[in-house]
Amino acid sequence: MNEEKSTIAKTAYRWMVRNDHLPPWIFTSIKRPIVQKGKTSGESFFTLIEPVICDDNNFDLPQVLLNLCLSNVREAQKALGEFKLQCLDEQGNIMDEWIYRDAYISFVDFGSFDYKSEGAVQITCILTHKKVEYVPYYRHKTI
């Protein structure tokens, strides 16, 4: 029997970040890891929007980012905890994920205000990690 195979490309807009301190809905973009021969450490850039009103009245994004960025590396790694980038299919199922190990926020640009723009304030961060792990989608499939 000759089965016809199809290919579906990943889309750049179906993804989610999982982290204990940063809710997934504030992420607007993230750079997947760049890997160099012989190295698993590196940096990834991500962009957030700064919410004015939040369901959690205790959530203060600038303060959270300052606390995560200004502590020493060991404290920052422990405070940030697990950081995952998940690629999703059209039903929202995980296709694959990148797990950043020993990660911490090493840089925060709190953006700027501009009377000529009606867009949301963008905050750019650098996530520095000691190791990155790739988990293929078939490990997440349920049969």
Side-chain angles (χ1 to χ4, degrees), residues 1-7:
M1 176 179 257
N2 189 0
E3 288 186 34
E4 196 171 311
K5 296 185 179 186
S6 63
T7 302

Side-chain angles (χ1 to χ4, degrees), residues 33-36 38-44 72-74 76-78 80-81 83 99-106 127-133:
I34 298 172
V35 179
Q36 296 178 7
K39 289 185 173 184
T40 58
S41 62
E43 298 177 334
S44 290
N72 69 49
V73 171
R74 290 242 188 257
Q77 289 169 332
K78 186 178 177 182
L80 184 62
F83 196 97
I99 303 171
Y100 299 85
R101 305 281 184 200
D102 296 327
Y104 59 96
I105 295 173
S106 58
L127 180 74
T128 300
H129 54 86
K130 299 287 182 192
K131 183 179 178 185
V132 66
E133 178 185 340

Side-chain angles (χ1 to χ4, degrees), residues 2 6 28 44 49 59 69 83 89 102-103 105 111 113 141:
N2 189 0
S6 63
T28 60
S44 290
I49 57 165
F59 182 71
C69 188
F83 196 97
D89 67 12
D102 296 327
I105 295 173
F113 294 107
K141 280 191 176 179

